[in-house]
Amino acid sequence: MTTNAIDRLNRLVASDSRWSMAIDGNRIAYVDDTGFDKLANRQFHTMAFAGDGILIERWKNWFLAEELDFDNLPPFQRLEVNTLVTLYFSLVQKPDCNVIFNSGWWIHHGEHASFAGSGAAHAYDCYVLNGCGKKSITSAAVNDPATGGEIKFVELTTGVHNLSSDQSTLSNAIQQLNQRGFVMDTNTKVVTPIRDLQTATVEALSALQSGERSLSAPTGLPMRVWSDAQKDVFMKALKDVARQEAELQA
């Protein structure tokens, strides 16, 4: 699962780095620090993602291409084991941290900051006390078992960030899950290396390897189908991104 933060006071976007998959009603398999980031960074904009890993990868690749190709848009949802899965975006403008598009459910701290994901409430509580988007993700990771790993961030004013330079793929994240991932019982919070539980997780891991299932950064909320109106608003925001970049090059 995940925690995303938009810190408008400090002009910062941040996220954790945990990718996970539900094994059964109370166990998740997860891996941290894979290099497959939940943030994507362009010249004038940063995008934060949550939801299905396959869809996130397709949209990240599209958003990070040299030119935005509006004739070949990735899908907003897909079927996984006969279940519809989707993704959510937040598109933030530099350097003022103006949120020009948001989807999904967010907790807002007035005009100062917004938080989404399974650790959103913990991040909100921390921010109220400390006023720091990075620290809010760290706090969420302590309190929410589905948030973890290195805190990824983009400072919108300075351009400083710690996003992975090689843009690791979802496939690489799955490989790392098999090699060094963990299984957590979310009821007891007991964590066990996957290598010690192969017989108990072999079916789930096989589904990952075959592409039948995907790692994800789920919000813990019910899946909502994108409406045509939402897609139109998102496309308008993305075309504004392309227009700003074209004007700079003209």
Side-chain angles (χ1 to χ4, degrees), residues 118-119 121-123 125-126 136-147 189:
S118 55
H122 299 298
D125 290 342
C126 176
S136 75
I137 302 292
T138 301
S139 179
V142 171
N143 293 282
D144 173 37
T147 296
K189 305 301 184 292

Side-chain angles (χ1 to χ4, degrees), residues 168-227:
S168 180
T169 65
L170 179 64
S171 177
N172 289 337
I174 292 171
Q175 291 176 5
Q176 292 182 59
L177 174 73
N178 280 280
Q179 294 166 1
R180 59 177 184 82
F182 296 89
V183 170
M184 178 190 296
D185 185 313
T186 56
N187 289 333
T188 65
K189 305 301 184 292
V190 171
V191 174
T192 308
I194 276 180
R195 63 179 178 271
D196 296 337
L197 290 173
Q198 284 292 342
T199 55
T201 60
V202 63
E203 183 177 345
L205 296 177
S206 296
L208 274 177
Q209 295 290 357
S210 68
E212 184 181 358
R213 295 187 62 189
S214 169
L215 288 176
S216 66
T219 64
L221 297 171
M223 194 282 301
R224 294 191 299 176
V225 176
W226 282 66
S227 68

